[in-house]
Amino acid sequence: MDADLVVVGSGFFGLTVAERIAEEYGRKVLVIDRRPHIGGNAYSEAEQSTGIEVHRYGAHLFHTSNERVWEYVNRFTAFTSYVHRVYTTHRGEVFPMPINLGTINQFFRSAHGPDAARELVKELSAELGGKKPENLDEQGVSLIGRPLYEAFIREYTAKQWQTDPRELPASIISRLPVRYTYDNRYFNDTHEGLPVDGYTAWIERMADHKNIEVRLDVDFFDESQPVNKSNVVGNVPVVYTGPVDRYFDYAEGDLSWRTLDFEEEVLPVGDFQGTPVMNYADADVPYTRIHEFRHFHPEREYPTDKTVIMREFSRFAEKSDEPYYPVNTTADRQRLLAYRDLAANEKDVLFGGRLGTYKYLDMHMAIGAALSMVDNKLAPHFGAGAGIESGGVDA
């Protein structure tokens, strides 16, 4: 095998590692991915009948306050001035999210200023009288009060988790931000925007290097093809970004994940909902939100008589599903401890990314973590000949 490093997975984590090792150290990197496309869950493509760019695995919004990450990503793409704002439909009425002064005054049919709104939320959240919350339901009430929690959080969370919040641990939510201004910008980061030419173009530029080879439709665990775990591990350093439990053939049990299902539809209207993302907070609506992708790029010339929407449904993942978000139950944490020890005992294998570390990572976090792995784990090896300390799974 003519490679100095094998990267399993072509998402942002894997491609950041590949690009840095190829560019900074002049080493040959082979990137494999079991899917037929590059980019992992950030993959996007034009919908055939409209030309509207669709994020195939749900909306991806780039934002960061990490200056190093921002400088790095701007090597491959320029960004639009897009600012993400979200709205939610509750009982036939649309409210701005996250909860802010506009949400509060609209919901209570009031005209509170910031101080009066703070006092109102403080009064409502005192319902439990100092009792330590025993479940997510009580935690939500203690954070923002029952009326706001039940309107905007409770049933939406139940749909996300397929579980009554009274049966979920309080630890799932440590805070529910409330803004006492009319600012409904969703993210607070210094930098925000969408790649001018789309995510796939950005990703392809990262992989477009003479020292990088990308092979798609390659399963690392398929021993009928040459780039498999048995042939590679121990012979070539590996950065693995797939599910950590799958790497070890579920030896310590399955980690639990949530997954998403999508229902895409092309509608014969120029604009369906007037905003990129509309959440649906009520239990009688089966999906959690609807994306309308034309609104992510208002600067583009899209058809005026058609639009693309995508309904998003959340559920627990089965083994055959694409995992999205770690559930992180107590049992999961115990299993992860065991996988951490197994990972540390592999030869020249580093685990990274959302799936490889069992952590929820936004895109900027994945890129930042990949840069850190290069600095701390791979640079000493490729730059100075030091050994590789396997691992990367924390618990």
Side-chain angles (χ1 to χ4, degrees):
M1 182 182 305
D2 186 22
D4 300 302
L5 175 68
V6 171
V7 175
V8 181
S10 67
F12 275 116
F13 189 99
L15 285 179
T16 299
V17 169
E19 190 278 332
R20 287 292 77 203
I21 297 303
E23 175 66 15
E24 288 291 308
Y25 298 97
R27 301 305 181 101
K28 293 184 177 180
V29 183
L30 173 60
V31 179
I32 65 170
D33 201 298
R34 62 177 177 78
R35 300 188 203 182
H37 61 73
I38 199 170
N41 285 2
Y43 174 72
S44 65
E45 64 180 353
E47 193 280 326
Q48 189 173 7
S49 67
T50 63
I52 295 172
E53 182 188 358
V54 172
H55 302 178
R56 284 292 166 209
Y57 301 90
H60 280 65
L61 299 313
F62 192 82
H63 55 97
T64 186
S65 294
N66 185 319
E67 294 299 332
R68 184 187 184 193
V69 168
W70 184 242
E71 186 278 330
Y72 179 71
V73 300
N74 273 271
R75 299 179 192 182
F76 308 100
T77 182
F79 287 86
T80 69
S81 59
Y82 176 86
V83 174
H84 193 48
R85 303 182 194 279
V86 172
Y87 296 85
T88 191
T89 297
H90 168 61
R91 295 183 179 176
E93 190 171 351
V94 175
F95 296 83
M97 288 284 115
I99 296 171
N100 59 68
L101 197 54
T103 318
I104 292 168
N105 281 330
Q106 182 181 346
F107 183 77
F108 290 106
R109 298 297 189 266
S110 59
H112 291 307
D115 290 343
R118 282 191 182 91
E119 286 302 312
L120 173 63
V121 172
K122 181 179 179 181
E123 177 184 340
L124 293 172
S125 62
E127 177 184 322
L128 297 182
K131 174 190 174 186
K132 183 178 179 180
E134 296 180 0
N135 53 52
L136 188 149
D137 211 58
E138 293 183 351
Q139 176 80 326
V141 171
S142 72
L143 290 171
I144 60 173
R146 187 172 297 280
L148 292 171
Y149 166 72
E150 291 191 345
F152 302 116
I153 309 298
R154 189 185 194 283
E155 293 178 1
Y156 188 84
T157 302
K159 288 193 289 188
Q160 283 186 312
W161 289 86
Q162 290 185 296
T163 305
D164 189 312
R166 289 171 293 188
E167 299 175 9
L168 292 169
S171 60
I172 287 179
I173 51 171
S174 58
R175 60 189 294 269
L176 287 170
V178 177
R179 294 180 185 160
Y180 296 99
T181 68
Y182 288 94
D183 178 15
N184 72 327
R185 178 181 174 184
Y186 196 75
F187 302 115
N188 294 315
D189 285 299
T190 306
H191 306 289
E192 181 177 357
L194 292 171
V196 169
D197 300 317
Y199 279 101
T200 296
W202 169 10
I203 290 161
E204 287 175 341
R205 288 177 194 136
M206 293 181 71
D208 184 17
H209 193 287
K210 65 180 181 179
N211 291 328
I212 297 176
E213 178 188 356
V214 178
R215 298 184 192 176
L216 303 175
D217 291 308
V218 175
D219 186 342
F220 189 55
F221 304 102
D222 178 6
E223 296 192 355
S224 69
Q225 57 83 30
V227 192
N228 65 70
K229 179 183 174 184
S230 297
N231 286 348
V232 174
V233 173
N235 296 316
V236 182
V238 173
V239 172
Y240 174 81
T241 69
V244 60
D245 51 353
R246 175 67 185 94
Y247 180 92
F248 294 104
D249 199 23
Y250 310 101
E252 301 295 339
D254 294 9
L255 295 171
S256 50
W257 298 84
R258 286 189 296 124
T259 191
L260 300 176
D261 295 319
F262 302 102
E263 184 180 278
E264 182 180 318
E265 187 174 0
V266 176
L267 299 176
V269 295
D271 192 346
F272 172 71
Q273 62 187 19
T275 192
V277 179
M278 179 69 70
N279 290 349
Y280 287 83
D282 301 331
D284 59 354
V285 179
Y287 39 85
T288 55
R289 51 188 175 176
I290 294 180
H291 309 282
E292 187 172 9
F293 291 102
R294 70 180 309 114
H295 295 294
F296 288 126
H297 288 279
E299 77 282 3
R300 295 180 180 174
E301 293 186 6
Y302 284 147
T304 58
D305 59 345
K306 292 181 181 179
T307 194
V308 182
I309 66 168
M310 183 180 281
R311 300 175 186 88
E312 182 175 310
F313 302 79
S314 179
R315 60 180 173 83
F316 283 105
E318 302 293 336
K319 193 170 289 186
S320 60
D321 290 320
E322 194 66 49
Y324 278 77
Y325 308 111
V327 175
N328 266 324
T329 64
T330 301
D332 288 324
R333 305 306 298 175
Q334 291 300 313
R335 293 187 185 103
L336 197 60
L337 282 169
Y339 284 124
R340 179 193 64 184
D341 294 340
L342 291 176
N345 288 323
E346 287 294 283
K347 179 175 172 52
D348 296 342
V349 180
L350 295 172
F351 295 78
R354 178 173 44 89
L355 305 183
T357 60
Y358 198 65
K359 291 180 180 177
Y360 178 71
L361 300 174
D362 282 332
M363 288 179 286
H364 69 286
M365 297 167 68
I367 293 167
L371 293 172
S372 294
M373 177 182 282
V374 171
D375 291 345
N376 300 321
K377 299 286 188 178
L378 293 171
H381 174 72
F382 289 113
I388 293 177
E389 182 182 351
S390 293
V393 180
D394 300 317

PDB file of all heavy atoms in Angstrom, residues 88-93 95 107 150-159 279-289:
ATOM      1  N   THR A  88     -40.297  28.895  15.611  1.00  0.00           N
ATOM      2  CA  THR A  88     -40.993  27.662  15.982  1.00  0.00           C
ATOM      3  C   THR A  88     -42.496  27.893  15.937  1.00  0.00           C
ATOM      4  O   THR A  88     -42.982  28.971  16.303  1.00  0.00           O
ATOM      5  CB  THR A  88     -40.559  27.189  17.386  1.00  0.00           C
ATOM      6  OG1 THR A  88     -41.041  25.864  17.615  1.00  0.00           O
ATOM      7  CG2 THR A  88     -41.077  28.099  18.492  1.00  0.00           C
ATOM      8  N   THR A  89     -43.218  26.889  15.454  1.00  0.00           N
ATOM      9  CA  THR A  89     -44.676  26.944  15.411  1.00  0.00           C
ATOM     10  C   THR A  89     -45.244  26.218  16.617  1.00  0.00           C
ATOM     11  O   THR A  89     -44.922  25.055  16.871  1.00  0.00           O
ATOM     12  CB  THR A  89     -45.204  26.299  14.118  1.00  0.00           C
ATOM     13  OG1 THR A  89     -44.745  27.042  12.993  1.00  0.00           O
ATOM     14  CG2 THR A  89     -46.727  26.258  14.109  1.00  0.00           C
ATOM     15  N   HIS A  90     -46.085  26.924  17.374  1.00  0.00           N
ATOM     16  CA  HIS A  90     -46.742  26.345  18.551  1.00  0.00           C
ATOM     17  C   HIS A  90     -48.202  26.757  18.532  1.00  0.00           C
ATOM     18  O   HIS A  90     -48.530  27.943  18.520  1.00  0.00           O
ATOM     19  CB  HIS A  90     -46.065  26.850  19.829  1.00  0.00           C
ATOM     20  CG  HIS A  90     -46.836  26.549  21.092  1.00  0.00           C
ATOM     21  ND1 HIS A  90     -47.122  25.258  21.503  1.00  0.00           N
ATOM     22  CD2 HIS A  90     -47.381  27.381  22.021  1.00  0.00           C
ATOM     23  CE1 HIS A  90     -47.802  25.301  22.637  1.00  0.00           C
ATOM     24  NE2 HIS A  90     -47.977  26.567  22.973  1.00  0.00           N
ATOM     25  N   ARG A  91     -49.084  25.756  18.445  1.00  0.00           N
ATOM     26  CA  ARG A  91     -50.524  25.970  18.426  1.00  0.00           C
ATOM     27  C   ARG A  91     -50.931  26.991  17.370  1.00  0.00           C
ATOM     28  O   ARG A  91     -51.722  27.908  17.626  1.00  0.00           O
ATOM     29  CB  ARG A  91     -51.029  26.382  19.806  1.00  0.00           C
ATOM     30  CG  ARG A  91     -50.867  25.286  20.850  1.00  0.00           C
ATOM     31  CD  ARG A  91     -51.443  25.669  22.187  1.00  0.00           C
ATOM     32  NE  ARG A  91     -51.299  24.592  23.161  1.00  0.00           N
ATOM     33  CZ  ARG A  91     -51.648  24.695  24.437  1.00  0.00           C
ATOM     34  NH1 ARG A  91     -52.166  25.828  24.888  1.00  0.00           N
ATOM     35  NH2 ARG A  91     -51.476  23.667  25.253  1.00  0.00           N
ATOM     36  N   GLY A  92     -50.360  26.811  16.186  1.00  0.00           N
ATOM     37  CA  GLY A  92     -50.758  27.638  15.056  1.00  0.00           C
ATOM     38  C   GLY A  92     -50.193  29.045  15.049  1.00  0.00           C
ATOM     39  O   GLY A  92     -50.616  29.882  14.239  1.00  0.00           O
ATOM     40  N   GLU A  93     -49.223  29.304  15.911  1.00  0.00           N
ATOM     41  CA  GLU A  93     -48.611  30.631  15.980  1.00  0.00           C
ATOM     42  C   GLU A  93     -47.091  30.485  15.882  1.00  0.00           C
ATOM     43  O   GLU A  93     -46.524  29.535  16.423  1.00  0.00           O
ATOM     44  CB  GLU A  93     -49.002  31.317  17.291  1.00  0.00           C
ATOM     45  CG  GLU A  93     -48.623  32.773  17.367  1.00  0.00           C
ATOM     46  CD  GLU A  93     -49.223  33.463  18.594  1.00  0.00           C
ATOM     47  OE1 GLU A  93     -50.061  32.831  19.281  1.00  0.00           O
ATOM     48  OE2 GLU A  93     -48.854  34.608  18.864  1.00  0.00           O
ATOM     49  N   PHE A  95     -43.275  31.727  16.668  1.00  0.00           N
ATOM     50  CA  PHE A  95     -42.497  32.473  17.655  1.00  0.00           C
ATOM     51  C   PHE A  95     -41.016  32.450  17.280  1.00  0.00           C
ATOM     52  O   PHE A  95     -40.534  31.456  16.726  1.00  0.00           O
ATOM     53  CB  PHE A  95     -42.643  31.841  19.043  1.00  0.00           C
ATOM     54  CG  PHE A  95     -44.029  31.882  19.616  1.00  0.00           C
ATOM     55  CD1 PHE A  95     -44.974  30.921  19.263  1.00  0.00           C
ATOM     56  CD2 PHE A  95     -44.393  32.868  20.516  1.00  0.00           C
ATOM     57  CE1 PHE A  95     -46.239  30.940  19.793  1.00  0.00           C
ATOM     58  CE2 PHE A  95     -45.674  32.901  21.061  1.00  0.00           C
ATOM     59  CZ  PHE A  95     -46.605  31.936  20.693  1.00  0.00           C
ATOM     60  N   PHE A 107     -45.760  35.453  23.732  1.00  0.00           N
ATOM     61  CA  PHE A 107     -46.412  34.320  24.387  1.00  0.00           C
ATOM     62  C   PHE A 107     -47.363  34.773  25.491  1.00  0.00           C
ATOM     63  O   PHE A 107     -48.487  34.260  25.610  1.00  0.00           O
ATOM     64  CB  PHE A 107     -45.348  33.377  24.963  1.00  0.00           C
ATOM     65  CG  PHE A 107     -45.908  32.139  25.599  1.00  0.00           C
ATOM     66  CD1 PHE A 107     -46.363  31.086  24.821  1.00  0.00           C
ATOM     67  CD2 PHE A 107     -45.985  32.027  26.978  1.00  0.00           C
ATOM     68  CE1 PHE A 107     -46.892  29.938  25.409  1.00  0.00           C
ATOM     69  CE2 PHE A 107     -46.506  30.885  27.575  1.00  0.00           C
ATOM     70  CZ  PHE A 107     -46.959  29.832  26.788  1.00  0.00           C
ATOM     71  N   GLU A 150     -43.227  24.052  28.711  1.00  0.00           N
ATOM     72  CA  GLU A 150     -44.220  23.166  28.106  1.00  0.00           C
ATOM     73  C   GLU A 150     -44.584  23.607  26.693  1.00  0.00           C
ATOM     74  O   GLU A 150     -44.890  22.774  25.837  1.00  0.00           O
ATOM     75  CB  GLU A 150     -45.462  23.087  28.993  1.00  0.00           C
ATOM     76  CG  GLU A 150     -45.201  22.341  30.307  1.00  0.00           C
ATOM     77  CD  GLU A 150     -46.476  22.033  31.074  1.00  0.00           C
ATOM     78  OE1 GLU A 150     -47.526  22.633  30.749  1.00  0.00           O
ATOM     79  OE2 GLU A 150     -46.402  21.190  32.001  1.00  0.00           O
ATOM     80  N   ALA A 151     -44.518  24.899  26.418  1.00  0.00           N
ATOM     81  CA  ALA A 151     -44.865  25.377  25.081  1.00  0.00           C
ATOM     82  C   ALA A 151     -43.783  25.056  24.064  1.00  0.00           C
ATOM     83  O   ALA A 151     -44.084  24.589  22.958  1.00  0.00           O
ATOM     84  CB  ALA A 151     -45.107  26.881  25.123  1.00  0.00           C
ATOM     85  N   PHE A 152     -42.515  25.278  24.421  1.00  0.00           N
ATOM     86  CA  PHE A 152     -41.458  25.262  23.416  1.00  0.00           C
ATOM     87  C   PHE A 152     -40.433  24.141  23.555  1.00  0.00           C
ATOM     88  O   PHE A 152     -39.707  23.848  22.605  1.00  0.00           O
ATOM     89  CB  PHE A 152     -40.718  26.607  23.428  1.00  0.00           C
ATOM     90  CG  PHE A 152     -41.614  27.778  23.163  1.00  0.00           C
ATOM     91  CD1 PHE A 152     -41.811  28.754  24.128  1.00  0.00           C
ATOM     92  CD2 PHE A 152     -42.287  27.892  21.961  1.00  0.00           C
ATOM     93  CE1 PHE A 152     -42.649  29.833  23.893  1.00  0.00           C
ATOM     94  CE2 PHE A 152     -43.132  28.960  21.708  1.00  0.00           C
ATOM     95  CZ  PHE A 152     -43.315  29.943  22.675  1.00  0.00           C
ATOM     96  N   ILE A 153     -40.362  23.512  24.702  1.00  0.00           N
ATOM     97  CA  ILE A 153     -39.298  22.540  24.948  1.00  0.00           C
ATOM     98  C   ILE A 153     -39.824  21.123  25.164  1.00  0.00           C
ATOM     99  O   ILE A 153     -39.284  20.164  24.594  1.00  0.00           O
ATOM    100  CB  ILE A 153     -38.440  22.947  26.167  1.00  0.00           C
ATOM    101  CG1 ILE A 153     -37.959  24.403  26.040  1.00  0.00           C
ATOM    102  CG2 ILE A 153     -37.279  21.980  26.355  1.00  0.00           C
ATOM    103  CD1 ILE A 153     -37.068  24.669  24.847  1.00  0.00           C
ATOM    104  N   ARG A 154     -40.854  20.977  25.951  1.00  0.00           N
ATOM    105  CA  ARG A 154     -41.249  19.649  26.415  1.00  0.00           C
ATOM    106  C   ARG A 154     -41.585  18.692  25.280  1.00  0.00           C
ATOM    107  O   ARG A 154     -40.985  17.618  25.149  1.00  0.00           O
ATOM    108  CB  ARG A 154     -42.434  19.747  27.375  1.00  0.00           C
ATOM    109  CG  ARG A 154     -42.743  18.429  28.048  1.00  0.00           C
ATOM    110  CD  ARG A 154     -43.994  18.476  28.920  1.00  0.00           C
ATOM    111  NE  ARG A 154     -44.027  17.304  29.783  1.00  0.00           N
ATOM    112  CZ  ARG A 154     -44.371  16.085  29.398  1.00  0.00           C
ATOM    113  NH1 ARG A 154     -44.722  15.876  28.122  1.00  0.00           N
ATOM    114  NH2 ARG A 154     -44.375  15.081  30.236  1.00  0.00           N
ATOM    115  N   GLU A 155     -42.545  19.049  24.449  1.00  0.00           N
ATOM    116  CA  GLU A 155     -42.999  18.117  23.417  1.00  0.00           C
ATOM    117  C   GLU A 155     -41.981  18.003  22.281  1.00  0.00           C
ATOM    118  O   GLU A 155     -41.832  16.941  21.679  1.00  0.00           O
ATOM    119  CB  GLU A 155     -44.378  18.547  22.902  1.00  0.00           C
ATOM    120  CG  GLU A 155     -45.449  18.403  23.982  1.00  0.00           C
ATOM    121  CD  GLU A 155     -46.824  18.858  23.546  1.00  0.00           C
ATOM    122  OE1 GLU A 155     -46.970  19.284  22.379  1.00  0.00           O
ATOM    123  OE2 GLU A 155     -47.754  18.784  24.364  1.00  0.00           O
ATOM    124  N   TYR A 156     -41.265  19.091  22.017  1.00  0.00           N
ATOM    125  CA  TYR A 156     -40.203  19.038  21.011  1.00  0.00           C
ATOM    126  C   TYR A 156     -39.123  18.047  21.450  1.00  0.00           C
ATOM    127  O   TYR A 156     -38.652  17.222  20.657  1.00  0.00           O
ATOM    128  CB  TYR A 156     -39.606  20.428  20.830  1.00  0.00           C
ATOM    129  CG  TYR A 156     -38.625  20.543  19.684  1.00  0.00           C
ATOM    130  CD1 TYR A 156     -39.068  20.768  18.384  1.00  0.00           C
ATOM    131  CD2 TYR A 156     -37.258  20.438  19.900  1.00  0.00           C
ATOM    132  CE1 TYR A 156     -38.186  20.885  17.323  1.00  0.00           C
ATOM    133  CE2 TYR A 156     -36.357  20.549  18.846  1.00  0.00           C
ATOM    134  CZ  TYR A 156     -36.825  20.775  17.569  1.00  0.00           C
ATOM    135  OH  TYR A 156     -35.934  20.885  16.524  1.00  0.00           O
ATOM    136  N   THR A 157     -38.742  18.098  22.721  1.00  0.00           N
ATOM    137  CA  THR A 157     -37.746  17.170  23.262  1.00  0.00           C
ATOM    138  C   THR A 157     -38.265  15.744  23.248  1.00  0.00           C
ATOM    139  O   THR A 157     -37.519  14.801  22.930  1.00  0.00           O
ATOM    140  CB  THR A 157     -37.356  17.572  24.696  1.00  0.00           C
ATOM    141  OG1 THR A 157     -36.847  18.913  24.680  1.00  0.00           O
ATOM    142  CG2 THR A 157     -36.303  16.636  25.270  1.00  0.00           C
ATOM    143  N   ALA A 158     -39.517  15.556  23.557  1.00  0.00           N
ATOM    144  CA  ALA A 158     -40.107  14.214  23.542  1.00  0.00           C
ATOM    145  C   ALA A 158     -40.042  13.612  22.141  1.00  0.00           C
ATOM    146  O   ALA A 158     -39.773  12.416  21.968  1.00  0.00           O
ATOM    147  CB  ALA A 158     -41.554  14.269  24.033  1.00  0.00           C
ATOM    148  N   LYS A 159     -40.260  14.447  21.118  1.00  0.00           N
ATOM    149  CA  LYS A 159     -40.149  13.956  19.740  1.00  0.00           C
ATOM    150  C   LYS A 159     -38.705  13.619  19.396  1.00  0.00           C
ATOM    151  O   LYS A 159     -38.430  12.623  18.711  1.00  0.00           O
ATOM    152  CB  LYS A 159     -40.699  14.997  18.765  1.00  0.00           C
ATOM    153  CG  LYS A 159     -42.207  15.134  18.783  1.00  0.00           C
ATOM    154  CD  LYS A 159     -42.715  15.937  17.601  1.00  0.00           C
ATOM    155  CE  LYS A 159     -42.382  17.396  17.696  1.00  0.00           C
ATOM    156  NZ  LYS A 159     -43.039  18.199  16.623  1.00  0.00           N
ATOM    157  N   ASN A 279     -39.154  25.162  13.344  1.00  0.00           N
ATOM    158  CA  ASN A 279     -39.371  24.084  14.298  1.00  0.00           C
ATOM    159  C   ASN A 279     -40.867  23.900  14.544  1.00  0.00           C
ATOM    160  O   ASN A 279     -41.651  24.847  14.413  1.00  0.00           O
ATOM    161  CB  ASN A 279     -38.680  24.396  15.629  1.00  0.00           C
ATOM    162  CG  ASN A 279     -37.173  24.334  15.544  1.00  0.00           C
ATOM    163  OD1 ASN A 279     -36.624  23.870  14.548  1.00  0.00           O
ATOM    164  ND2 ASN A 279     -36.497  24.787  16.575  1.00  0.00           N
ATOM    165  N   TYR A 280     -41.235  22.691  14.944  1.00  0.00           N
ATOM    166  CA  TYR A 280     -42.620  22.385  15.287  1.00  0.00           C
ATOM    167  C   TYR A 280     -42.635  21.802  16.689  1.00  0.00           C
ATOM    168  O   TYR A 280     -42.195  20.678  16.916  1.00  0.00           O
ATOM    169  CB  TYR A 280     -43.233  21.432  14.253  1.00  0.00           C
ATOM    170  CG  TYR A 280     -43.507  22.146  12.955  1.00  0.00           C
ATOM    171  CD1 TYR A 280     -42.496  22.329  12.014  1.00  0.00           C
ATOM    172  CD2 TYR A 280     -44.757  22.697  12.699  1.00  0.00           C
ATOM    173  CE1 TYR A 280     -42.728  23.018  10.834  1.00  0.00           C
ATOM    174  CE2 TYR A 280     -45.002  23.392  11.516  1.00  0.00           C
ATOM    175  CZ  TYR A 280     -43.985  23.551  10.594  1.00  0.00           C
ATOM    176  OH  TYR A 280     -44.219  24.245   9.434  1.00  0.00           O
ATOM    177  N   ALA A 281     -43.115  22.605  17.635  1.00  0.00           N
ATOM    178  CA  ALA A 281     -42.975  22.265  19.051  1.00  0.00           C
ATOM    179  C   ALA A 281     -44.042  21.316  19.568  1.00  0.00           C
ATOM    180  O   ALA A 281     -43.881  20.752  20.651  1.00  0.00           O
ATOM    181  CB  ALA A 281     -42.992  23.555  19.886  1.00  0.00           C
ATOM    182  N   ASP A 282     -45.129  21.112  18.828  1.00  0.00           N
ATOM    183  CA  ASP A 282     -46.270  20.368  19.360  1.00  0.00           C
ATOM    184  C   ASP A 282     -46.217  18.882  19.019  1.00  0.00           C
ATOM    185  O   ASP A 282     -45.749  18.493  17.943  1.00  0.00           O
ATOM    186  CB  ASP A 282     -47.569  20.970  18.825  1.00  0.00           C
ATOM    187  CG  ASP A 282     -47.711  22.442  19.197  1.00  0.00           C
ATOM    188  OD1 ASP A 282     -47.180  22.841  20.250  1.00  0.00           O
ATOM    189  OD2 ASP A 282     -48.341  23.181  18.420  1.00  0.00           O
ATOM    190  N   ALA A 283     -46.744  18.077  19.917  1.00  0.00           N
ATOM    191  CA  ALA A 283     -46.689  16.623  19.780  1.00  0.00           C
ATOM    192  C   ALA A 283     -47.516  16.107  18.608  1.00  0.00           C
ATOM    193  O   ALA A 283     -47.234  15.029  18.077  1.00  0.00           O
ATOM    194  CB  ALA A 283     -47.147  15.959  21.080  1.00  0.00           C
ATOM    195  N   ASP A 284     -48.543  16.854  18.196  1.00  0.00           N
ATOM    196  CA  ASP A 284     -49.404  16.347  17.125  1.00  0.00           C
ATOM    197  C   ASP A 284     -48.786  16.515  15.735  1.00  0.00           C
ATOM    198  O   ASP A 284     -49.358  16.092  14.736  1.00  0.00           O
ATOM    199  CB  ASP A 284     -50.781  17.008  17.182  1.00  0.00           C
ATOM    200  CG  ASP A 284     -50.724  18.526  17.060  1.00  0.00           C
ATOM    201  OD1 ASP A 284     -49.601  19.081  17.048  1.00  0.00           O
ATOM    202  OD2 ASP A 284     -51.787  19.154  16.980  1.00  0.00           O
ATOM    203  N   VAL A 285     -47.613  17.133  15.650  1.00  0.00           N
ATOM    204  CA  VAL A 285     -46.850  17.209  14.406  1.00  0.00           C
ATOM    205  C   VAL A 285     -45.698  16.214  14.533  1.00  0.00           C
ATOM    206  O   VAL A 285     -44.861  16.354  15.417  1.00  0.00           O
ATOM    207  CB  VAL A 285     -46.300  18.626  14.164  1.00  0.00           C
ATOM    208  CG1 VAL A 285     -45.486  18.659  12.869  1.00  0.00           C
ATOM    209  CG2 VAL A 285     -47.436  19.629  14.121  1.00  0.00           C
ATOM    210  N   PRO A 286     -45.617  15.203  13.684  1.00  0.00           N
ATOM    211  CA  PRO A 286     -44.639  14.131  13.904  1.00  0.00           C
ATOM    212  C   PRO A 286     -43.193  14.526  13.675  1.00  0.00           C
ATOM    213  O   PRO A 286     -42.289  13.918  14.230  1.00  0.00           O
ATOM    214  CB  PRO A 286     -45.069  13.049  12.912  1.00  0.00           C
ATOM    215  CG  PRO A 286     -45.815  13.782  11.837  1.00  0.00           C
ATOM    216  CD  PRO A 286     -46.509  14.908  12.542  1.00  0.00           C
ATOM    217  N   TYR A 287     -42.954  15.520  12.837  1.00  0.00           N
ATOM    218  CA  TYR A 287     -41.576  15.915  12.560  1.00  0.00           C
ATOM    219  C   TYR A 287     -41.168  17.041  13.509  1.00  0.00           C
ATOM    220  O   TYR A 287     -42.009  17.748  14.085  1.00  0.00           O
ATOM    221  CB  TYR A 287     -41.408  16.352  11.101  1.00  0.00           C
ATOM    222  CG  TYR A 287     -42.553  17.163  10.530  1.00  0.00           C
ATOM    223  CD1 TYR A 287     -42.619  18.539  10.703  1.00  0.00           C
ATOM    224  CD2 TYR A 287     -43.586  16.532   9.836  1.00  0.00           C
ATOM    225  CE1 TYR A 287     -43.676  19.274  10.179  1.00  0.00           C
ATOM    226  CE2 TYR A 287     -44.644  17.261   9.310  1.00  0.00           C
ATOM    227  CZ  TYR A 287     -44.687  18.633   9.484  1.00  0.00           C
ATOM    228  OH  TYR A 287     -45.729  19.353   8.978  1.00  0.00           O
ATOM    229  N   THR A 288     -39.854  17.209  13.665  1.00  0.00           N
ATOM    230  CA  THR A 288     -39.345  18.240  14.563  1.00  0.00           C
ATOM    231  C   THR A 288     -39.185  19.581  13.865  1.00  0.00           C
ATOM    232  O   THR A 288     -39.321  20.631  14.491  1.00  0.00           O
ATOM    233  CB  THR A 288     -37.983  17.821  15.158  1.00  0.00           C
ATOM    234  OG1 THR A 288     -37.080  17.517  14.091  1.00  0.00           O
ATOM    235  CG2 THR A 288     -38.134  16.620  16.067  1.00  0.00           C
ATOM    236  N   ARG A 289     -38.867  19.572  12.564  1.00  0.00           N
ATOM    237  CA  ARG A 289     -38.680  20.830  11.864  1.00  0.00           C
ATOM    238  C   ARG A 289     -38.748  20.617  10.359  1.00  0.00           C
ATOM    239  O   ARG A 289     -38.679  19.489   9.876  1.00  0.00           O
ATOM    240  CB  ARG A 289     -37.348  21.478  12.239  1.00  0.00           C
ATOM    241  CG  ARG A 289     -36.135  20.568  12.118  1.00  0.00           C
ATOM    242  CD  ARG A 289     -34.901  21.265  12.697  1.00  0.00           C
ATOM    243  NE  ARG A 289     -33.736  20.396  12.726  1.00  0.00           N
ATOM    244  CZ  ARG A 289     -32.528  20.763  13.106  1.00  0.00           C
ATOM    245  NH1 ARG A 289     -32.321  22.003  13.490  1.00  0.00           N
ATOM    246  NH2 ARG A 289     -31.527  19.920  13.114  1.00  0.00           N
TER     247      ARG A 289
END
